[in-house]
């Protein structure tokens, strides 16, 4: 096994091994557990960073293992995989820090962190999967390992949310499995390749391929929360804040969106889909989701549920960008995968901070909270402005490219959808910000659990992660043109996807 | 119809009777008897069908011997179980449902406790 | 000791009898040692089969027409290896289980020896009468094991099981009589070419009788009525053995005869009928499993459902392209192996939890996740195997079976398999959900010995690694 091959396994092992060890640690070994978690997270980040460097210098990272005669496990890190893996690993590190502070006194922490690490392993596996078979393995592993986190609190509501989550994701997984096996039976064994592999098939197979595409999108759409398959996401918000933050802003929904990217560009090929008229329906489904999610978000009084519906809407930006058939919109879509992740995780961190520090869950309870928790609120405002698409933030870049792409592709209606959605975004975020700073504080907070000590408005480990991710939102927006920004990297990916 | 075939036909009839009895009769002892009739029927079939041209064939005889040994062992095991059941529930029949099963178990436990109580007195 | 075949039959008989004389403690130790030796013997045998294809052995030096031939091919090797890989951890588990003062230890080891001897002989038998004898032996040993606990529930389950198994082998023997009457032989090797030429009424009747007899023992719907009480009522190590291995033995025979002896009779209609019964079994078993309140009954009904899965194999291997049939066959065998490992692990894990709770009740499981994390993990992984989700052997099996169904265009069975997977998720997660709840205040869990937890975990770990080693299993299968 060469160095590059073992690197791929090491990336998986860096979260799997700590996860397995943590399962067997007694609850009281807090330090050892934290040490293991952080070591794993930092190691993973370093390994992926090294691979990023390697990819730029023409290294190829691929590992094939023959399971059966015609069935290979393939792990591969290409530019797209590296993007998603970097995002997951970086946000895992932040979320681990956050979770250590958040769960300081709660029970079952070994179980929690164990499954948390498994989830990250699955997510990185999804990113690195080199063919659909491998992708499916990690995709289902992600479903299984997130379930214990959703029901972690063990309350009635958590159990109900867990049931709904399972019904949606397992059914979606089953549909996906049938679609993948069908595709394998037509094509034999194949890997993800720039430009797609399906075009080689005779045209008599096109009706079958259309049905398979529909099944694939349904299967992946459950996790990507495409309307009407999104029902599990708002329910799953009963999970603890770190889970909502990492898994429902990044890992799970992005695994679905990421899968759709792979299907569109590297299985079917965007040219082929365009010739079969399959891109427009996908774009329409994404647009409906964008509008519907934003609309529903308006009516939510619970902060986390509002954020959840916002996620429903924002993830479909990625799918919209991907399905508009122009390289520029693709840049917008894929870069939003990163930008939305950074911004949404900030918002969830902040929501968790309000709930944990002051016991605030409802938006109506947030009057004047900006003066009690200024740092958290500033972070929240930056991320919310990013969601709206304000200049200088990461969100601006995404929307800029998406809009331009829609123009180039001559699909101005998509541009209209984006504008309407931005208006809705503003309508559901601006009132919250207004409450933060311009309404007077109540006499007592709902349930103040952590008191301010000097400059620390809350627990330090709860404060640093949102500040870092909010800063990242700004940096990704302001320095978008530099050589190390997500945008630069995405441009590289899109060049390859369109075979330019 | 040759003699051998008559044996085989009688065997088949016995076999059917045995199977019907095994399924339909409620009493466990009768079920065990039915099993033995079924077995004998099969043995007759084996011997009868195996006899071509009225020349006795040793192989089915050997097989039937083996079968008889197995049947005796099975009968003994079945009888042992039925005796145990009779001791536990004072009935040699299947108990209708699990509720009444729980009741008999409770009765049994109280009976054994009473015995222990008597012994300690 | 050059040839492992006779020793695989003699050794378990020997230690079975010895352990009766030695008593529970030393008998158990002897059994474990012998199980290790047998595992080595099987490995040796499998090596021989892979190297030189089929292995034949004439008992006592007398070959086919007069004596008894034993025959080991690829499929038999897989089953033998599976049996020993499952039984060794279960043996270690059982030693620890009975040390927790549970009734029924007295006859466990002798019966286990007899059971193992019967199983080994059955897998290697090459004539239909010898198969009858091993079936009876297997049935009697299994019934004895079910009844070892000696309470009303288990005695009733044992008697019902005994009557069913006697009826099954009786019906099977009637089929043997018809075959012998027609052809004057019971050796498979002699019969197969004869039946290929003509199918008389007697042979047709014989095939039906033998099939029904074996179906009764395999507990395919609607013959499943005896299974839940027998598998759910027996002491846990016994339940694991019965569900994992004993059921497989009669299924193995059906598969054997379908492919060999009765291949001319294996029509699409017959295959669809078996597949249809399998589909109903999946549905019915899963729903019943979901409605159970006792953990072991849930696992037992899950076996009813999984047996249905095995029978979906028949429509997939009958009168379809050779490639599709081969893929289906591979999938079916991996399904057999994965289910045996997973179901043994599931029963073993359930047994640990029941010991700890003091009572078999799913509602009491709350809070067990922090008491017995390893055991719960074992149960969960076994459940994932049954659902056919990655990364387990069950997934590989499902992938192959669905691939085969898709390539032969049998979409109905694809739907059944997918639905079956989702339904099994229903009952598995019913247990996991309860276990993840916070503990009730008044609930007291008894501590259990780690030597109970680890063998169960080992079983599920093997089923997990099966997904990476399935190629090796298929190599053994293809050797014959």
């Amino acid at each position: 096994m060469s160095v590059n091959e073992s690197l791929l396994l090491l990336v998986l092992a860096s979260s799997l091994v700590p996860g397995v060890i943590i399962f067997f640690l007694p609850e009281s070994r807090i330090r050892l557990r934290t040490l293991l978690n952080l070591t794993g997270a930092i190691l993973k980040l370093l390994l992926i960073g090294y691979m990023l460097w390697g990819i730029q210098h023409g290294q190829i990272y691929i590992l094939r293992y023959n399971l059966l005669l015609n069935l290979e496990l393939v792990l591969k890190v290409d530019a797209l995989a590296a993007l998603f893996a970097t995002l997951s690993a970086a946000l895992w590190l932040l979320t681990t820090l956050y979770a250590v502070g958040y769960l300081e006194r709660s029970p079952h922490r070994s179980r929690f962190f164990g499954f948390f690490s498994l989830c990250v392993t699955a997510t990185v596996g999804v990113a690195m999967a080199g063919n659909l078979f491998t992708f499916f393995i990690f995709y289902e592993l992600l479903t299984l390992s997130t379930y214990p986190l959703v029901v972690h609190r063990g309350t009635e509501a958590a159990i109900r949310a867990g049931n709904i989550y399972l019904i949606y994701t397992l059914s979606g997984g089953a549909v996906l499995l049938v679609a993948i096996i069908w595709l394998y039976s037509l094509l034999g064994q194949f890997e993800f390749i720039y430009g797609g592999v399906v075009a080689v098939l005779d045209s008599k197979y096109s009706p079958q391929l259309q049905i398979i595409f529909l099944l694939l999108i349904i299967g992946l759409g459950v996790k990507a929360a495409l309307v009407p398959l999104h029902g599990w996401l708002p329910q799953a918000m009963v999970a603890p804040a770190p889970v909502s933050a990492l898994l429902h802003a990044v890992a799970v929904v992005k695994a679905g969106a990421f899968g759709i990217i792979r299907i569109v560009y590297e299985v079917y090929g965007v040219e082929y889909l365009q010739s079969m008229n399959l891109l427009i329906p996908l774009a329409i489904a994404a647009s409906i989701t964008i509008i519907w999610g934003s609309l529903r978000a308006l009516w939510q009084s619970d902060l986390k549920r509002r954020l959840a519906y916002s996620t429903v809407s924002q993830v479909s930006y990625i799918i919209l960008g991907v399905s508009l058939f122009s390289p520029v919109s693709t840049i917008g879509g894929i870069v939003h995968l990163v930008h939305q992740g950074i911004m949404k995780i900030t918002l969830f961190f902040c929501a968790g901070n309000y709930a944990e520090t002051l016991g605030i869950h409802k938006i109506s309870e947030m009057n004047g909270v900006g003066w009690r928790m200024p740092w958290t609120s500033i972070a929240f405002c930056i991320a919310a402005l990013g969601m709206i698409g304000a200049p200088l933030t990461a969100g601006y870049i995404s929307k800029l490219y998406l809009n331009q792409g829609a123009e180039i592709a001559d699909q101005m209606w998509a541009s209209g959808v984006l504008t309407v959605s931005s208006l809705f975004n503003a309508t559901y975020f601006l009132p919250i910000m207004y409450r933060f700073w311009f309404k007077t504080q109540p006499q007592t907070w709902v349930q103040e659990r952590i008191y301010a000590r000097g400059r620390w408005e809350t627990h330090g480990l709860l404060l640093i992660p949102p500040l870092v991710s909010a800063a990242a939102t700004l940096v990704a927006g302001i320095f978008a043109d530099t050589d190390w920004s997500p945008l630069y990297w995405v441009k590289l990916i899109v060049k390859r996807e369109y075979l330019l | 119809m040759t003699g051998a075939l008559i044996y085989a036909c009688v065997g088949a009839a016995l076999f059917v009777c045995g199977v019907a009895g095994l399924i339909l009769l409620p009493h466990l002892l009768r079920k065990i008897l039915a099993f033995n009739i079924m077995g004998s029927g099969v043995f007759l079939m084996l011997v009868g069908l195996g006899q071509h041209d009225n020349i006795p064939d040793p192989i089915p005889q050997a097989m039937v011997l083996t079968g008889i040994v197995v049947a005796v062992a099975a009968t003994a095991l079945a009888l042992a179980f039925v005796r145990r059941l009779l001791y536990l529930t004072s009935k040699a029949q299947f108990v209708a449902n699990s509720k009444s099963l729980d009741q008999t178990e409770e009765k049994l436990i109280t009976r054994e406790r009473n015995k222990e109580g008597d012994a300690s007195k | 000791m050059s040839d492992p075949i006779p020793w695989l039959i003699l050794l378990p008989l020997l230690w079975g009898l010895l352990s009766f004389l030695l008593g529970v403690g030393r008998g158990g130790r002897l059994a474990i040692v012998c199980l290790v030796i047998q595992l080595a013997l099987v490995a040796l045998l499998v090596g021989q089969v892979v190297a030189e294809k089929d292995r034949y052995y004439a008992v006592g030096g007398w070959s086919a027409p007069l004596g008894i031939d034993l025959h080991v091919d690829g499929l038999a090797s897989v089953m033998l290896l599976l049996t020993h890989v499952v039984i060794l951890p279960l043996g270690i588990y059982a030693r620890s289980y009975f040390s927790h003062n549970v009734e029924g230890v007295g006859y466990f080891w002798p019966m286990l020896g007899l059971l193992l001897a019967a199983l080994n002989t059955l897998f290697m038998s090459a004539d239909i009468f010898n198969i009858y004898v091993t079936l009876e032996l297997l049935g009697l040993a299994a019934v004895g094991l079910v009844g070892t606990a000696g309470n009303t529930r288990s005695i009733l389950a044992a008697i019902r099981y005994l009557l069913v198994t006697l009826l099954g082998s009786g019906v099977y023997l009637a089929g043997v009589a018809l075959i012998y009457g027609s052809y004057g032989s019971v050796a498979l090797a002699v019969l197969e070419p004869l039946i290929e030429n003509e199918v008389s009424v007697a042979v047709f009747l014989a095939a039906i009788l033998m099939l029904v007899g074996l179906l009764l023992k395999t507990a395919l719907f609607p013959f499943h009525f005896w299974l839940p009480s027998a598998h759910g009522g027996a002491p846990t190590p016994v339940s694991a053995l019965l569900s994992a291995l004993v059921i497989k033995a009669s299924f193995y025979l059906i598969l054997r005869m379908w492919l060999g002896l009765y291949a001319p009779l294996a029509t699409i209609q017959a295959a669809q009928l078996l597949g249809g019964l399998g589909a109903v079994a999946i549905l019915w078993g899963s729903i019943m499993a979901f409605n159970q309140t006792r953990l072991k009954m849930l696992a037992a009904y899950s076996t009813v459902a999984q047996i249905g899965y095995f029978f979906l194999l028949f429509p997939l291997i009958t009168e379809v392209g050779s490639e599709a049939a081969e893929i289906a066959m591979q999938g079916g065998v991996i399904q057999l192996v994965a289910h045996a490992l997973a179901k043994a692990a599931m029963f073993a894990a359930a047994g640990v939890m029941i010991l700890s709770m003091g009572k078999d009740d799913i509602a009491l499981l709350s809070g067990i996740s922090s008491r017995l994390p390893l055991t719960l993990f074992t149960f969960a992984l076994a459940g994932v195997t049954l659902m056919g989700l990655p990364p387990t052997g069950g997934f590989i099996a499902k992938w192959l079976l669905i691939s085969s169904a898709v390539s032969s265009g049998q979409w109905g069975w694809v739907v059944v398999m997918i639905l079956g997977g989702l339904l099994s998720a229903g009952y598995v997660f019913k247990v996991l959900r309860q276990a993840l709840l916070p503990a009730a205040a008044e609930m007291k869990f008894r501590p259990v010995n780690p030597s109970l937890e680890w063998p169960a975990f080992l079983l599920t770990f093997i089923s997990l690694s099966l997904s990476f080693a399935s190629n090796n299993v298929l190599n053994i299968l293809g050797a014959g």
Side-chain angles (χ1 to χ4, degrees), chain A residues 23-24 65-71 73 108 111 115 118 132-133 136-138 140-141 144 147-148 151-155 159 163 166-167 170-171 174-175 177-178 180-182 184-185, chain C residues 323 330 334 367 369-370 373-374 377 384 387-391 395-396 398-400 402-403 406-407 411 414 418 422 425 429 432-433 435-438 454 457 467-471 474:
Chain A
F23 273 119
F24 294 99
Y65 176 81
N66 217 352
L67 267 189
L68 296 177
L69 194 56
N70 286 314
L71 209 52
L73 269 180
H108 301 312
R111 189 174 93 195
F115 281 113
L118 276 188
L132 274 175
F133 174 73
F136 182 79
I137 289 183
F138 286 111
E140 288 296 72
L141 195 61
L144 293 174
Y147 172 76
V151 299
H152 183 72
R153 290 218 167 111
T155 56
I159 294 289
N163 287 352
L166 273 184
I167 290 170
L170 287 181
S171 315
V175 173
L177 179 65
V178 173
I180 293 175
I181 291 179
W182 197 350
Y184 264 65
S185 78
Chain C
E323 199 183 337
Q330 295 176 341
I334 294 196
S369 71
S370 48
L374 185 67
F377 192 59
V384 171
M387 285 181 237
L389 288 183
F395 171 64
I396 303 285
K398 196 162 152 188
W399 175 280
L400 289 170
I402 295 181
S403 292
V406 167
S407 64
W411 288 96
V414 174
I418 291 287
L422 292 178
F429 274 103
L432 297 184
R433 189 162 60 222
L436 288 173
L437 288 178
W454 284 100
F457 178 73
S467 59
F468 294 97
S470 35
N471 220 358
L474 296 181

Side-chain angles (χ1 to χ4, degrees), chain B residues 53-100:
Chain B
D53 309 325
N54 279 335
I55 305 161
D57 183 352
I59 292 180
Q61 317 268 351
M63 289 199 268
V64 167
L65 263 180
T66 316
I68 289 172
V69 172
V70 171
V72 167
T75 310
L77 183 65
L79 286 174
F81 274 127
V82 172
R83 263 180 56 112
R84 174 75 185 165
L85 186 72
L86 199 63
Y87 166 74
L88 289 171
T89 64
S90 34
K91 256 188 236 151
Q93 280 183 10
F94 285 124
V95 180
N97 54 36
S98 66
K99 205 180 239 174
S100 59

Side-chain angles (χ1 to χ4, degrees), chain C residues 10-228:
Chain C
L10 286 178
L11 200 59
L13 276 179
L14 212 64
W15 65 253
L17 295 177
L18 266 179
S19 66
F20 182 68
L21 297 175
L22 288 174
V24 176
R26 279 186 295 171
R29 241 168 292 153
L30 173 73
I32 302 283
V33 172
C34 291
L35 283 176
V36 174
I37 298 172
Q38 276 172 244
L39 184 60
L41 287 176
V42 169
L44 186 68
L45 178 63
V46 169
Q48 289 173 353
V49 171
V50 171
E52 58 193 274
K53 304 280 175 192
D54 296 5
R55 289 273 285 101
Y56 287 93
Y57 182 85
V59 176
W62 294 83
S63 64
L66 284 177
I68 298 169
D69 258 351
L70 296 178
H71 174 208
V72 184
D73 62 357
L75 186 57
S77 311
V78 172
M79 297 307 289
L80 283 172
L81 191 60
L82 171 68
T83 303
H84 286 86
V85 166
V86 171
I87 271 192
L88 181 58
L90 275 183
I92 300 169
Y93 175 86
R95 256 180 70 80
S96 180
Y97 183 84
F98 288 121
S99 73
H100 280 70
N101 254 341
V102 183
E103 51 189 352
V105 60
Y107 297 107
F108 180 78
W109 296 108
M111 289 291 184
L112 183 69
L114 299 183
L115 182 93
L116 195 50
L119 267 178
N120 285 348
T121 322
L122 185 145
F123 291 136
M124 297 191 286
S125 290
D127 74 68
I128 51 178
F129 185 77
N130 201 31
I131 288 174
Y132 160 76
V133 176
T134 57
L135 269 177
E136 282 285 35
L137 251 179
L138 181 66
L140 294 183
V143 168
L145 280 170
V146 170
T148 45
N151 55 38
T152 318
R153 209 181 274 276
S154 67
I155 292 289
L156 273 173
I159 293 178
R160 183 175 290 135
Y161 185 22
L162 176 64
L163 293 175
V164 168
T165 192
L166 290 179
L167 179 64
S169 30
V171 173
Y172 175 91
L173 187 62
V176 173
L178 284 175
I179 291 283
Y180 189 83
S182 304
Y183 298 110
S185 173
V186 287
L188 287 172
V190 179
L191 290 172
E192 273 173 31
L194 291 175
I195 292 184
E196 257 174 51
N197 293 331
E198 45 135 9
V199 178
S200 65
V201 181
V203 173
F204 189 71
L205 197 62
I208 291 181
L209 283 172
M210 288 165 87
L211 180 67
V212 168
L214 290 172
L215 285 182
L216 259 171
K217 285 169 175 280
T218 316
L220 176 66
F221 184 92
F223 302 122
H224 67 284
F225 54 89
W226 59 269
L227 186 144

Side-chain angles (χ1 to χ4, degrees), chain A residues 280-358:
Chain A
I280 297 294
L282 185 59
I284 291 173
S287 304
I288 293 172
T289 309
I290 291 173
I291 302 285
W292 178 254
S294 311
L295 258 178
R296 287 300 304 268
L298 282 173
W299 309 114
Q300 304 303 319
S301 58
D302 183 290
L303 181 61
K304 274 178 85 181
R305 282 182 72 92
R306 185 173 284 193
L307 293 179
Y309 275 107
S310 164
T311 305
V312 170
S313 147
Q314 296 273 341
V315 169
S316 277
Y317 279 37
I318 304 168
I319 299 166
L320 182 66
V322 162
S323 56
L324 279 181
F325 194 58
S326 90
V328 179
S329 69
T330 309
I331 294 176
I334 298 181
V335 84
H336 200 56
L337 186 93
V338 178
H339 289 166
Q340 193 266 354
I342 303 173
M343 297 186 293
K344 192 43 68 63
I345 207 168
T346 313
L347 292 172
F348 273 115
F349 283 155
C350 295
N353 278 0
Y354 295 133
E356 198 61 5
T357 314
L358 303 175

